[in-house]
């Protein structure tokens, strides 16, 4: 039959996929969002306990950035041409 213009599976070009966020970074991001929400609710109710939630949000935010950055460097190291 005629050529359909498709490449065979052995001739496909490798695709460069976007880096996947590590699972722990996703968990710390969820904790950060929930801590911010808890801080807002706490301050609206007039409780000083919101300070603890703000501190927890800051800590989890830093953890999120750390794990995202670490995941990117690990992915770059795995796909390096000159390894």
């Amino acid at each position: 039959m005629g050529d359909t213009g498709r490449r065979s599976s052995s001739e496909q070009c490798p695709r460069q996929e976007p880096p996947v966020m590590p699972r722990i970074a996703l968990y710390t991001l969820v904790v950060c969002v929930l801590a911010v929400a808890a801080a807002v609710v706490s301050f609206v109710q007039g409780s000083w306990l919101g300070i603890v939630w703000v501190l927890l949000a800051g800590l989890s935010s830093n953890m999120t950035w750390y794990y995202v950055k670490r995941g990117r460097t690990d992915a770059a190291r795995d796909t390096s041409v000159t390894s």
Side-chain angles (χ1 to χ4, degrees):
M1 297 229 174
D3 184 19
T4 60
R6 295 184 184 174
R7 294 181 179 180
S8 68
S9 62
S10 62
E11 295 178 15
Q12 287 183 350
C13 297
R15 291 184 179 175
Q16 183 177 1
E17 297 181 11
V20 178
M21 181 184 287
R23 186 174 293 165
I24 192 162
L26 189 61
Y27 291 154
T28 57
L29 181 63
V30 169
V31 169
C32 181
V33 169
L34 291 175
V36 168
V40 168
V41 169
S42 190
F43 283 130
V44 166
Q45 291 179 350
S47 173
W48 285 97
L49 189 62
I51 294 173
V52 175
W53 291 114
V54 169
L55 293 174
L56 182 62
L59 176 67
S60 61
S61 170
N62 288 340
M63 288 176 65
T64 301
W65 284 116
Y66 171 77
Y67 285 117
V68 167
K69 186 176 178 182
R70 186 172 128 187
R72 286 182 185 165
T73 56
D74 287 347
R77 187 178 333 126
D78 290 342
T79 61
S80 176
V81 184
T82 59
S83 52

